[in-house]
Every structure is written in structure tokens, then in C-alpha cells.
Amino acid sequence: MQMNLANKLTTLRVVLIPVFLVLLLSPLIAEPVNRYIAVGIFIAASITDFLDGYIARSRNMITNFGKFMDPLADKLLVCSALVSMVELGDLPAWVVVIILSREFAITGFRTLAMQANIVMAASWWGKLKTTTQMIMIIVVLLQIQASVMNVIETILVALAVFFTIVSGVDYIVKNKAVLKG
């Protein structure tokens, strides 16, 4: 199979995940430098998320590989960052459990939908969820030392959890026919 540009960007996102994790968690580079470099890698990977979808749609490059790997790459990137942030003490575990639970539940739901030949379109809630999670991860990982940043971090974590729950409920409500199968 010939890889188009959109699929190459998705693959790049997956390849950047271990690079991000090694930089973030490795004791070889001192804090906070490791975080800054890791955040730069995370931002680059996040940008590929927006670019690959845009390129695939605008250039008619939508493939089965892209339909499968793009959401998987997003989940791998975000979930690996979130689990790492619990390890680092940056996020409480309950936040990550809520987000991971939604991701696993919707992935299972999508699998049921595929078996029933039901196409589950991505919703704006899901896109908002992913964007909010990525912004929250970046801001929390940067650990900017300013009193207002604690408030901003708390708001971003709350928004990420809120949009995670709302987007999950939205997927299930809009695609309840999957549950009847």
C-alpha cells in the first residue's frame, strides 16, 4: 500500500510517542529542560493530528488506514501523556481514569458499530474534547510558576473532564442504534 501524506503524518504521530515519553520520563535530561523538549514533541505530534485530517479531506486522501489509525494515534498520544503525568504527580489518577474509561468505552462502541455496518461520524464534541485535552496536557506539563496558572490549569483539567464525558454521552446518544444490534 502506498502511503499518502495524510497517512505519513498519522504514522509520524505514532513514532513521536516513544520519543515524547523518553524525553519526559528519562532522568538523563534535567528538569525542566526535559519537559520543555517533551512538550515541543507533543505539540508537533498534536499538530500532525490537525494536519492529517485536513489534508486527507481537502485532497481526497481518505483511506481505511487513516480511518483506523488517526483516532488510534490520537488516543495513544493523549493516553501516554496522561499516564505519564500521573507518574510525575502532575495529574490526579481519577482524572486519567475518567478520560481512559471514555476512550476505551467509545472504542468498544465503535467496534460494535463497525460489526453492525454503522458509520459513527466524528462529532464536534469529540474534536473539542481532543483539543481541550491536548491544551491541558501542554499547560500542565510546562509547570509555569505563576499564581494565575494554578487557576488556568484547574479550569483546563475541569474542561477536559467535562468535554470527555459530554462527548462520550453524545456518541452513545447519537448512535444508540448500535446498542440495539
Side-chain angles (χ1 to χ4, degrees), residues 49-124:
D49 177 30
F50 297 102
L51 283 178
D52 64 6
Y54 172 77
I55 290 169
R57 286 185 299 279
S58 68
R59 297 183 183 177
N60 198 25
M61 293 180 172
I62 297 172
T63 64
N64 286 335
F65 176 85
K67 288 180 195 175
F68 174 75
M69 280 305 297
D70 180 58
L72 180 59
D74 296 343
K75 286 173 183 33
L76 289 171
L77 177 64
V78 169
C79 291
S80 64
L82 293 172
V83 170
S84 298
M85 293 167 75
V86 171
E87 170 72 18
L88 294 168
D90 292 344
L91 277 180
W94 67 266
V95 168
V96 177
V97 169
I98 288 172
I99 293 171
L100 292 177
S101 296
R102 183 264 186 213
E103 298 306 336
F104 284 119
I106 296 304
T107 298
F109 199 67
R110 282 180 174 268
T111 302
L112 290 175
M114 284 183 354
Q115 290 173 346
N117 291 322
I118 297 172
V119 176
M120 287 179 56
S123 74
W124 285 106

Side-chain angles (χ1 to χ4, degrees), residues 2 6 10 12 15 27 50 61 66 86 91-92 94 97 108-109 114 131 137 148 163 166 175:
Q2 181 81 17
T10 299
L12 175 61
V15 169
F50 297 102
M61 293 180 172
V86 171
L91 277 180
W94 67 266
V97 169
F109 199 67
M114 284 183 354
T131 302
I137 288 166
V148 72
F163 290 133
V166 169
N175 299 284

Side-chain angles (χ1 to χ4, degrees), residues 31-32 35-36 88-90 138-153:
E31 287 248 2
R35 284 178 178 266
Y36 298 150
L88 294 168
D90 292 344
I138 292 164
V139 171
V140 172
L141 280 178
L142 285 175
Q143 291 188 329
I144 298 169
Q145 300 300 315
S147 58
V148 72
M149 287 309 295
N150 290 333
V151 174
I152 291 170
E153 287 179 12

